[in-house]
Amino acid sequence: MPQQGVIDSLVSTVTGILAPHGPAVQAVAKSYTPGDFSVHFFLQLAVILLACRVVGWAGQKLLGQPQVVGEMIAGVVLGPSLLGLLFPDFQLALFPKETRNVLYAGAQLGVGLYMFMVGLTLNLDHFKAKAKSAAGVSAAGIAVPFLLAALITPMLLTVPGLFAPGISNANATLFMGACIALTAFPMLARIINERGLANSSLGTLSLTAGAFDDASSWCVLAVVLATFGAGPGVAVLAIGGAILYTAFMLLYGRRLLAPLGRAVEARGEMSTTVLAITMMLFCTSAFVMDAIGIHAIFGGFLLGVCMPRGLFVEELKRKVEPLAVVLLLPMFFTYSGLNTRMDMVNSVELVLIALGILAVSVLAKFGACWAAARLSGEDNRTALGIGALMNSRGLMELIIINIGLQKGIIGPTLFSMLVLMAIVTTMMAGPLFELVYGRKARADGELGALGGGLAIDAAE
């Protein structure tokens, strides 16, 4: 497309950020009032919290999974895969389609605040010391998945219903590569916290590499959407905007935000004014990254990285973290679970394809990140631990494949296969990490007991 066409598309994309993007809907005889949304919201939240606590506890006791994995499973349980299958009328009455937009907004607030907290605890000194390893792990975690995607996608295109009719091999390959390269950044962060790795070089290296891999996957998705009909403005705004905003925050963010830290130190505590300013900055940063087409969580994480340290972090975590982790974050898992069906892979051929995608995905992330860490000078145990953590995909995978399904890039069958891959690789992460790294590290005193990460989890 000529340069002028790209410029026009970019201008149209920017000016349309706040415009409605959904299809027109027909008028109905009855609709939900604000009171109806309120009634559903509070009941939904109560059920979500109950399910997350119960399933999370069961996952910890029976399967040795961290609380976060139980919450992910609880989200799927509350959706059409189990509750909707057993009690369809009740599930539909509890989670009607009309109320899901409210749940979505709460979900984004929860996961965004959580990633903001993760950014606050990121140890940049560890990253600087491990910059070579982080770069190598991140590059391998992107290159190998796209290479293997290029090998398997032509075969997948021959199976009816997996991809949209008429999609090009290039677009299909890029989408599959983004799905395989993705790391469950929010879930990775929470597993790292719950496993006591928040201040370790391994945890920081994995988080940094995971963040870069996820950002790269979202940029590739923007390119696919642009070439699939959304226009080049989508890709230009996403990639260019992310680079500019990240560069600005890393170059000037700490200097501009330093007065907030000094105000807290001078007072000895965080005032409500400083808390309000901080939350306003968080919402603005999340808006910027969401509006340009990346994701709100990266805005929250990036702002957290640039925030003042010391008493400021202690006060902010004390005031915000329990609410974000216990009340808001579970909405993120449930919203994704409501869009997940596990009954779509229903033939031997499709099961074999699903298992093949799972095997390729594990090889591409676990194998490649392990090899890259070893080549960068890490010992074998640390490299295996990094590979185990980077192989988790979680609900970030569900987000990106939901976009692919909604935009008509993939069909329901491939969507279900990728959901299966996301759940299995996420459930693998904790036990595999303990097997290859955690148990010996705890026996040697390098790590504390499980659950020693987030303050709210340590108190339980």
Side-chain angles (χ1 to χ4, degrees):
M1 179 181 289
Q3 183 178 2
Q4 185 60 43
V6 175
I7 295 175
D8 291 342
S9 178
L10 177 60
V11 171
S12 175
T13 301
V14 173
T15 56
I17 285 176
L18 297 180
H21 295 87
V25 295
Q26 295 180 346
V28 294
K30 294 183 179 180
S31 62
Y32 280 74
T33 67
D36 294 329
F37 284 107
S38 175
V39 167
H40 278 88
F41 178 75
F42 287 117
L43 179 59
Q44 289 170 355
L45 197 51
V47 172
I48 289 169
L49 293 176
L50 175 63
C52 286
R53 289 288 113 182
V54 171
V55 179
W57 175 85
Q60 287 177 319
K61 295 297 182 181
L62 302 179
L63 302 175
Q65 294 287 341
Q67 173 71 25
V68 62
V69 175
E71 292 177 3
M72 182 189 76
I73 296 173
V76 176
V77 167
L78 292 175
S81 298
L82 186 59
L83 184 62
L85 189 65
L86 299 177
F87 308 101
D89 293 337
F90 173 73
Q91 200 271 343
L92 187 60
L94 181 60
F95 295 103
K97 292 187 297 182
E98 293 83 355
T99 67
R100 293 189 186 180
N101 287 345
V102 178
L103 195 61
Y104 175 83
Q108 299 312 299
L109 176 60
V111 74
L113 274 176
Y114 183 79
M115 293 313 300
F116 178 48
M117 296 293 121
V118 171
L120 289 171
T121 61
L122 187 67
N123 192 322
L124 294 180
D125 292 334
H126 282 157
F127 172 60
K128 292 174 183 177
K130 298 286 185 177
K132 180 181 177 182
S133 298
V137 170
S138 181
I142 296 171
V144 176
F146 279 93
L147 176 62
L148 293 183
L151 296 177
I152 67 171
T153 301
M155 182 275 293
L156 296 178
L157 284 170
T158 64
V159 181
L162 296 188
F163 285 99
I167 188 173
S168 68
N169 182 70
N171 277 339
T173 299
L174 287 175
F175 184 81
M176 282 300 299
C179 291
I180 297 173
L182 202 68
T183 292
F185 193 37
M187 194 158 290
L188 171 65
R190 194 154 180 202
I191 289 174
I192 284 174
N193 274 289
E194 291 186 349
R195 301 279 162 174
L197 297 166
N199 295 313
S200 69
S201 59
L202 184 152
T204 302
L205 189 155
S206 299
L207 265 182
T208 307
F212 186 78
D213 285 1
D214 275 15
S216 300
S217 293
W218 284 103
C219 289
V220 169
L221 178 63
V223 172
V224 173
L225 293 176
T227 57
F228 204 68
V234 173
V236 173
L237 182 63
I239 298 172
I243 292 173
L244 290 175
Y245 185 65
T246 301
F248 172 80
M249 291 297 293
L250 294 179
L251 291 174
Y252 303 107
R254 290 213 161 189
R255 189 186 315 165
L256 294 173
L257 297 168
L260 293 174
R262 291 195 292 267
V264 174
E265 296 287 347
R267 186 184 176 101
E269 63 177 0
M270 178 176 288
S271 67
T272 54
T273 299
V274 172
L275 178 61
I277 293 173
T278 303
M279 291 297 97
M280 178 191 69
L281 291 171
F282 158 74
C283 291
T284 302
S285 186
F287 161 76
V288 169
M289 292 300 269
D290 217 5
I292 65 176
I294 301 298
H295 201 281
I297 65 168
F298 293 106
F301 176 75
L302 186 58
L303 181 68
V305 169
C306 298
M307 277 292 177
R309 286 341 195 220
L311 184 61
F312 178 91
V313 171
E314 296 175 14
E315 284 287 291
L316 190 59
K317 285 171 68 68
R318 183 175 65 85
K319 292 177 179 291
V320 177
E321 185 176 82
L323 184 69
V325 172
V326 175
L327 182 66
L328 299 177
L329 188 60
M331 284 191 282
F332 172 73
F333 298 102
T334 300
Y335 179 82
S336 295
L338 292 175
N339 293 313
T340 302
R341 297 189 62 92
M342 300 301 295
D343 57 350
M344 298 296 293
V345 183
N346 50 16
S347 72
V348 174
E349 179 188 11
L350 294 178
V351 169
L352 292 176
I353 292 174
L355 292 176
I357 291 175
L358 173 62
V360 168
S361 300
V362 173
L363 175 65
K365 286 298 279 191
F366 177 81
C369 292
W370 165 79
R374 289 290 287 148
L375 291 174
S376 298
E378 300 292 336
D379 62 84
N380 188 56
R381 192 163 61 90
T382 300
L384 287 171
I386 291 170
L389 292 174
M390 293 290 289
N391 188 50
S392 172
R393 288 173 180 83
L395 294 180
M396 286 299 289
E397 182 79 13
L398 296 184
I399 291 174
I400 201 170
I401 62 178
N402 268 288
I403 293 174
L405 183 66
Q406 293 163 7
K407 299 295 184 180
I409 298 172
I410 60 175
T413 305
L414 181 55
F415 175 84
S416 301
M417 294 177 180
L418 293 173
V419 168
L420 181 65
M421 182 265 283
I423 290 178
V424 173
T425 56
T426 303
M427 293 188 69
M428 286 173 58
L432 186 58
F433 173 80
E434 288 299 312
L435 178 65
V436 301
Y437 185 90
R439 290 177 184 172
K440 188 174 189 308
R442 295 181 209 290
D444 295 342
E446 299 174 24
L447 295 177
L450 288 176
L454 291 171
I456 190 67
D457 294 315
E460 294 178 348

